[in-house]
Amino acid sequence: MIKSPPKIVVSLVFTGLLGACSGHHHPAPFTSPLTHTVKPQAQTQAPAGRNMYYIPPSTLPGERTVEDVLHVYGDYATRKLSPYFAKAQVSYPPREVTLIALKQEMKLELWARDSGEFRFIRDYRIKAASGVSGPKLRQGDMQVPEGIYRIEGLNPNSHYHLAMKINYPNAFDLFNAEMDGRADPGSDIFIHGRAASIGCLAMGDEAIEELFVLTAHVGPGNVKVVIAPHDPRVYPLVANAEYLPEWTFGLYSLISREIKALSPGGKLAETGL
């Protein structure tokens, strides 16, 4: 039996919400930026440091495309990321990316590789995330999921500036929901901009621009997202049987191995915060 979890770990943020994460428009199908040319837009007042051609916020759902976002933010975000990749001796864009989200630490780490091992690139402060330690179990529980996921779509028309949809619930989540008798495990979990969220990871606008552009360049299918209750390199992930389902023990073992495989030497000495 699953008991109610104690109210611990990450902060629950309601202020400034336009709606739950499920209020996003559906992600646009990904199209390679190498095969389309976007015409320059009329010059208006551009965001500081951004491309001189500014595309105003869309007034209609689905009006803006991934290519439009790359046209506005692509060069700017690439210039910001390039020094981190150069320092790690990883080419840009890399072949693969892994994002590690640590709920308790409110931090998201960016790792990447070419043909060799993954290397740490930089990290970002998570501006807002809701819920407690433990996996997401049902629609409306306000939980940020825990597990190993992929990016399955890019949304250039999000209510939260830009958004990247993760594939929650994945096969692991669906299997355990069926075994537990849970009919609605929830859906529509995003990594997005702004600083408010229910069940998603809100990164702020500057960070999501970098992550969105990087994911578009690498290809969403080549971006893995590992979400953990806290950093297992600092102290072990322990599933408290008082309020977590039994299968959480196995989940935490998988998450721990995934994260520790990226940094076998232990905790990082430097971060990009």
Side-chain angles (χ1 to χ4, degrees), residues 63-77:
E63 180 179 329
R64 193 162 66 168
T65 67
V66 172
E67 286 78 10
D68 291 334
V69 173
L70 291 176
H71 181 73
V72 177
Y73 300 114
D75 289 344
Y76 174 72

Side-chain angles (χ1 to χ4, degrees), residues 33-70:
L34 301 180
T35 60
H36 288 73
T37 301
V38 179
K39 294 181 180 180
Q41 305 297 305
Q43 294 186 35
T44 63
Q45 183 62 41
R50 310 297 206 279
N51 189 296
M52 65 180 292
Y53 298 109
Y54 173 52
I55 301 175
S58 299
T59 57
L60 297 174
E63 180 179 329
R64 193 162 66 168
T65 67
V66 172
E67 286 78 10
D68 291 334
V69 173
L70 291 176

Side-chain angles (χ1 to χ4, degrees), residues 36-211:
H36 288 73
T37 301
V38 179
K39 294 181 180 180
Q41 305 297 305
Q43 294 186 35
T44 63
Q45 183 62 41
R50 310 297 206 279
N51 189 296
M52 65 180 292
Y53 298 109
Y54 173 52
I55 301 175
S58 299
T59 57
L60 297 174
E63 180 179 329
R64 193 162 66 168
T65 67
V66 172
E67 286 78 10
D68 291 334
V69 173
L70 291 176
H71 181 73
V72 177
Y73 300 114
D75 289 344
Y76 174 72
T78 300
R79 286 197 303 271
K80 290 173 63 183
L81 283 169
S82 291
Y84 293 102
F85 277 85
K87 183 177 180 180
Q89 298 183 328
V90 177
S91 63
Y92 185 93
R95 183 166 62 90
E96 292 180 79
V97 164
T98 294
L99 302 175
I100 299 176
L102 305 171
K103 291 165 65 173
Q104 181 169 287
E105 291 84 354
M106 295 292 282
K107 182 171 68 173
L108 185 139
E109 295 179 359
L110 166 57
W111 294 73
R113 72 173 177 179
D114 296 318
S115 57
E117 64 183 11
F118 275 93
R119 296 190 175 182
F120 173 74
I121 306 300
R122 65 158 300 173
D123 52 17
Y124 301 89
R125 181 67 60 192
I126 297 173
K127 302 288 187 180
S130 62
V132 299
S133 178
K136 183 174 181 64
L137 299 177
R138 56 185 58 85
Q139 180 70 32
D141 62 7
M142 303 180 189
Q143 281 288 92
V144 173
E146 294 172 3
I148 302 168
Y149 301 99
R150 292 281 178 178
I151 298 295
E152 67 175 12
L154 296 175
N155 183 3
N157 296 290
S158 171
H159 295 311
Y160 299 88
H161 186 43
L162 300 169
M164 310 190 304
K165 190 175 190 295
I166 70 170
N167 67 328
Y168 175 88
N170 60 17
F172 181 94
D173 300 314
L174 291 172
F175 174 80
N176 284 293
E178 183 177 358
M179 293 297 99
D180 293 346
R182 291 180 284 112
D184 188 1
S187 61
D188 290 331
I189 302 299
F190 293 81
I191 301 171
H192 59 62
R194 306 296 186 235
S197 179
I198 295 179
C200 299
L201 297 173
M203 304 303 304
D205 291 356
E206 286 277 322
I208 196 60
E209 288 163 11
E210 292 183 27
L211 294 168

